[in-house]
Amino acid sequence: MRRIFFDNAATSWPKPESVYRVVEDYLRSNGAPAGRSVYREAGEADRIVSETRKKMARFIGAEDLSRIVFTASGTDALNLALQGTLRPGDHVITSVLEHNSVLRPLQALAQTRDVSVTHVPCSALGYVDPDLIQAEIRPNTKLIALIHASNVLGTIQPIESVGKIAQNHGVLFLIDAAQSVGYLPFDARELSADLIAFPGHKGLLGPLGVGGLYFAPGVEDQVRSVRQGGTGTKSESLDHPASMPEKFEAGNHNVPAIAGLGAGIEFLESLDIETQRTKHREMVDVLLAACREIDGISSYGPDEGLDRLGVISLSMANCDVQEFASLLDASFRIQVRSGLHCAPLAHKAIGTIASGGTVRFSFGHFNTDQDLQILVAALNEIAPLLIKP
Ligand SMILES: Cc1ncc(COP(=O)(O)O)c(C=O)c1O
């Protein structure tokens, strides 16, 4: 039976052939560290890192390649942004839709560094109202941190309006673009964003183990480095370099993952993101329409794909979400994620916390209409077996 992967919000699979190829090529034929030595392969490793940085900068509309800092993951980028900007006494505004990679660092900062945190609510369908954010701004508000698209509901948040509010009040604005980058076109220069965190392994199609943080020009001066170490530059100094991107990149780079990320971005550049987005919108509409016809299945978020990405949360009446997800894999090789998806406050907001969350279906660049038809047939087949009256 063919494996049908609908867990792309966790990490994307499969990857383009070129990603497999460059990772293997680097590991077999190169294997050198970047930015540290002068032999041929080391120079090539250096070039791989800098080319991917350039591609990444171009892809998200950054001013130049020095605006992109490589991290180990989306979580790592968010930790750098939050821990690097917030000081004792600061206030931060975020939302109930956030992932634990924002909620937990903020909780730790509240407990250890006297940072205060406001979680603004979302509507029943999963949207944050910019006016609610504006109403929470205080004299000591340092940062607004907002998810671009919910990893539970796929709902796309009004980041343009929130960015303008942040700018008008002189507050830093951090976007968690974990679910949107690679699936939604966006231009960093047109958003009033100071910091944009992203993983390399989801919509950008790179391997696990790489992410990044975009810094708007000058914002790096307001962010402390949270790790210091070797950079291969200014080695005579015990002070960590202040130049970009070294300021935030201590230690060896994950060159194979960065090589794969470069190939992933190149592949995306050969696609039309708008066409992919339309395809996902249509898939969302088809799945939601099919669910409306199946007794006992509930869906969360808006009824259509217009303002959401290809991420759908479902539950079945009186059926454990883990059982639902396990049966899909065991019987149909359909692979999804069940539970809270690391976003407990989002589940509180939509009323699914007590039942253990939802079953999440998330579409990737390689899912086909046939995958969707198989899924709809599977849901029709298993719903009568699983739903307990
Ligand atoms: C909204 C959101 N933010 C952050 C992350 C963390 O990204 P990573 O898995 O690369 O650490 C995820 C991952 O699921 C996510 O969905």
Side-chain angles (χ1 to χ4, degrees), residues 9-11 72-76 78 97-102 147-151 176-179 198-202 208 210-211 337 341-342 360:
T11 195
S73 60
T75 302
D76 196 29
L78 288 162
L97 290 174
E98 306 309 309
H99 190 273
N100 273 338
S101 53
V102 167
I147 199 164
H148 190 181
S150 163
N151 64 314
D176 175 359
Q179 294 299 334
F198 55 87
H201 61 94
K202 299 189 201 253
L208 284 159
V210 64
R337 173 130 180 228
H341 320 112
C342 302
R360 180 182 73 185

